[in-house]
Structure formats: structure tokens, C-alpha cells
């Protein structure tokens, strides 16, 4: 009997052919508008995903990138809570369900999952796509206004990915507070931009105030050591490009790198990394330069040379976002 395909492959297969019958120009225009909306700083008062064409373009273009970014954040969280597996999952503003797929990729198996979004076409397509994964067949797709009126049932894990930029400041606060009140663990992912990082730091502060411990990416639950306005903390996830990606961006590469910022926090004990690599390592002749966020907290550039033996070899294999030193 053949083993089931991994969630990432299942997702790519489910998305294949999604744009059949949709003129390429219409798909490209929908994607370009969506990119502007999701990367903008202006909250909206209506769903960004308006109709089937928008949802198909979003799912084909953005869902793989959202999946990879959320999966990377969840894997870092899982490393910090190695004995924990979520018994239930709620995804706020989950659209077509990328975070549900990502949770399933990190912690396989069936569990109660609820995806909340205010765009019914996104939920309908999410349900359709999820049919390709037997472990997501019982996901509950529920239309809900994501904002001040939000109420949540208790659950183990709440995810919020690429949502805060759509909300007013008051609604962002209400969302984070609702997630903190309902969940044992909260993982939030935002675009890897200065604005995305600023929204994330606000959410991080509220989670800490609510009694959560930071599990990743930070090695501590103290204030971020980055001086406001001087830099921002973000990471990168590699995404296989679809034909729509290449069509919209005019690129020939088979992949692109999705920049994202995230925070993962829990009410229970966590084992965060001793240090986190917060920039792409620089490999020089006989040495590797690592920019680290440390548990003090502080930022420091470490130089690892051949004299460090096994540590040097590990540094050459280290990647942006990794824990350091490796376990």
C-alpha cells in the first residue's frame, strides 16, 4: 500500500488547475490587486476576497507562500514544545485554509479544526481544496466577522496569518485578546515588512501581558532588543513558483522566497532556542558570521571559524531562522 502524499504535495496537487477557465489576464489583475491589498497599511471594511475569481487567484498565488511561512513558524514552535501536540485548532481569518494545512504538516493526524473568515467564497473554496487531504475532511468552515465582536471557543492552538494588516488598531487588539483568552498557544504570522513587524510586536506585547511565554522566534519573553525604527525582525521561506507566479512576476526561477515575521507563544512551559539566527549567515573564507538574537536579550554578531571544529561545520549549514547552537 502506498503511503499518503505529504501535505505540501497534496496541496500543490489540489491547487493545480484551479484557474482553468479563468482568463490569464483576469487572474493576473486579481493577483496584482490582492498583493497591493495585503501589503498595504490601510485596513479595509470589506472582505479583500470578493468573488470566485479573487479566491481562485488568491489560492493559486498566495496559498503556497502562506502555507510555507506558517509551516516554518509552526516548526520553530514545535521545536520549543517537543512533547506537545495540539488537540484542537482554530484559524482566525483563515481564508482558504493554508494554516490548517500547515498545522497538519507539522502535527499529522485528525483533530477538531475551525477556520473562521468573513469571505464566504474563500471558505467555500477552502472546503473544496481540503477534500484532497483526508485528515482535513472534517474541518469546520465558518463565516465570522474578524474584529471587536469576535468570540471564540476554547482550543489548544489559535493561528492568525496575514490578517492583522486588514484590521483597524481596535480590531487588532480585540483579535489578539480573544485569541489569548481562548487558546493555550497562539501563533501569529505577518508579512516580513517593517509594518508587519510593528503589528507583530504589538501582538507579542499583548500576549506577554496576558501571561503567555514566547517560544519562538525570540529566545526570551523580554522586550525586543531592536530599537524601534532602526530594523525589523523577519525570516524567509522558500516557495515553489507556479505558472501563475511566473506569469505575474515575469520571472523564470522555479522558486521565490517569502519574507515573513512571526511570534509563537504558549501558556505552558516552553524551551526556546538559546539564540536565533536573525539574518542570512555570511560564509567567508575560513569563517561564518552569524547575526544572533540572544536570551539576555541582545543582538550580537558571532564569528565561527575553523578552529571551532564541529561548530564551524554546523555554522556553514546554519540557515536564517535556525536555533543556535544546533541541538
Amino acid at each position: 500500500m502506498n503511503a499518503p502524499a505529504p501535505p505540501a504535495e497534496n496541496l500543490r496537487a489540489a491547487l493545480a488547475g484551479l484557474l482553468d477557465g479563468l482568463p490569464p489576464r483576469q487572474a493576473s489583475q486579481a493577483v496584482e490587486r490582492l498583493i497591493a491589498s495585503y501589503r498595504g497599511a490601510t485596513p479595509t471594511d470589506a472582505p479583500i476576497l470578493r468573488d470566485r475569481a479573487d479566491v481562485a487567484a488568491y489560492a493559486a498565488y498566495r496559498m503556497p507562500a502562506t502555507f510555507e511561512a506558517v509551516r516554518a513558524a509552526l516548526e520553530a514552535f514545535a521545536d520549543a514544545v517537543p512533547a506537545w501536540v495540539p488537540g484542537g485548532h482554530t484559524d482566525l481569518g483563515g481564508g482558504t485554509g493554508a494554516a490548517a494545512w500547515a498545522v497538519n504538516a507539522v502535527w499529522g493526524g485528525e483533530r477538531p479544526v475551525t477556520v473562521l473568515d468573513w469571505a464566504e467564497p474563500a471558505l467555500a473554496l477552502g472546503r473544496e481544496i481540503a477534500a484532497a487531504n483526508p485528515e482535513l475532511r472534517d474541518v469546520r468552515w465558518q463565516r465570522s466577522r474578524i474584529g471587536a465582536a469576535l468570540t471564540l471557543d476554547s482550543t489548544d492552538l489559535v493561528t492568525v496569518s496575514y490578517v492583522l494588516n486588514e484590521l483597524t488598531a481596535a480590531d487588532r487588539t480585540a483579535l489578539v485578546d480573544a485569541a489569548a483568552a481562548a487558546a493555550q498557544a497562539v501563533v501569529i504570522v505577518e508579512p516580513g515588512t517593517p509594518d508587519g513587524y510593528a503589528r507583530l510586536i504589538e501582538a507579542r506585547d499583548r500576549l506577554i501581558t496576558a501571561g503567555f511565554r514566547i517560544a519562538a522566534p525570540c529566545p526570551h519573553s523580554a522586550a525586543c532588543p531592536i530599537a524601534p525604527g532602526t530594523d525589523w525582525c523577519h525570516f524567509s521561506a522558500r516557495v515553489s513558483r507556479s505558472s501563475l507566479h511566473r506569469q505575474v512576476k515575469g520571472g523564470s526561477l522555479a522558486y521565490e522566497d517569502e519574507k515573513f515575521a512571526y511570534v509563537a507563544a504558549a501558556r505552558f512551559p516552553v524551551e526556546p532556542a538559546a539564540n536565533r539566527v536573525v539574518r542570512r549567515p555570511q560564509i567567508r573564507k575560513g569563517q561564518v558570521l552569524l547575526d544572533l538574537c540572544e536570551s539576555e536579550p541582545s543582538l550580537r554578531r558571532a564569528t565561527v571559524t575553523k578552529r571551532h571544529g564541529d561548530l564551524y561545520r554546523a555554522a556553514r549549514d546554519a540557515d536564517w531562522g535556525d536555533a543556535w547552537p544546533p541541538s
Side-chain angles (χ1 to χ4, degrees):
M1 182 176 179
N2 293 330
E9 292 181 13
N10 258 345
L11 179 57
R12 283 193 292 269
L15 292 174
L18 193 60
L19 298 177
D20 285 352
L22 185 64
R25 181 175 177 81
Q26 184 179 355
S28 297
Q29 288 175 340
V31 165
E32 288 165 358
R33 184 182 64 79
L34 289 168
I35 290 172
S37 297
Y38 280 111
R39 291 183 179 172
T42 304
T44 61
D45 293 321
I48 288 176
L49 301 175
R50 302 177 301 193
D51 53 30
R52 172 76 186 197
D54 273 2
V55 175
Y58 167 80
Y61 186 84
R62 279 299 305 165
M63 197 172 173
T66 302
F67 168 82
E68 294 295 353
V70 176
R71 178 168 67 169
L74 291 171
E75 285 176 343
F77 178 53
D79 287 343
V81 291
W84 184 79
V85 176
H89 170 216
T90 298
D91 187 27
L92 303 185
T96 53
W101 283 83
V103 169
N104 181 250
V106 176
W107 298 284
E110 296 185 53
R111 59 181 51 84
V113 180
T114 300
V115 178
L116 301 179
D117 199 276
W118 60 352
E120 182 60 42
L123 295 169
L125 192 66
R127 184 183 298 109
E128 178 184 327
I129 296 168
N133 186 340
E135 293 183 348
L136 297 179
R137 62 190 172 191
D138 293 328
V139 172
R140 186 163 63 111
W141 305 85
Q142 181 178 326
R143 190 167 190 267
S144 177
R145 177 71 166 83
I146 307 299
L150 180 68
T151 58
L152 299 174
D153 294 332
S154 296
T155 188
D156 283 346
L157 173 65
V158 165
T159 55
V160 186
S161 52
Y162 297 88
V163 172
L164 299 184
N165 64 314
E166 300 179 38
L167 305 176
T168 64
D171 282 352
R172 288 198 299 270
T173 296
L175 180 148
V176 174
D177 289 350
Q184 293 299 304
V186 177
V187 177
I188 303 175
V189 179
E190 279 286 290
T193 63
D195 286 342
Y197 165 75
R199 290 187 292 268
L200 200 72
I201 286 297
E202 290 177 359
R204 180 185 184 275
D205 290 345
R206 294 199 73 82
L207 290 173
I208 292 170
T209 299
F212 280 71
R213 302 173 175 92
I214 303 302
C218 321
H220 56 81
S221 296
C224 178
I226 297 175
T230 63
D231 202 352
W232 70 99
C233 183
H234 65 293
F235 302 91
S236 181
R238 182 140 295 182
V239 184
S240 297
R241 271 182 168 173
S242 67
S243 58
L244 180 60
H245 280 83
R246 293 191 288 272
Q247 176 186 319
V248 170
K249 293 197 171 181
S252 58
L253 291 176
Y255 64 86
E256 67 178 17
D257 292 323
E258 170 73 6
K259 304 298 192 301
F260 67 99
Y262 76 97
V263 64
R267 287 197 175 278
F268 47 84
V270 299
E271 302 171 21
N275 309 283
R276 181 77 60 185
V277 180
V278 292
R279 287 289 182 273
R280 199 177 301 280
Q282 299 180 43
I283 300 178
R284 308 279 176 83
K285 185 176 180 179
Q287 63 181 17
V288 181
L289 307 181
L290 299 177
D291 289 305
L292 302 174
C293 181
E294 300 181 307
S295 56
E296 276 73 3
S298 63
L299 298 171
R300 178 175 69 90
R301 171 165 288 183
T303 301
V304 185
T305 69
K306 285 185 175 180
R307 289 178 297 175
H308 291 95
D310 289 344
L311 204 59
Y312 171 71
R313 286 184 284 276
R316 288 183 62 87
D317 292 335
D319 200 2
W320 185 6
D322 284 353
W324 184 259
S327 58

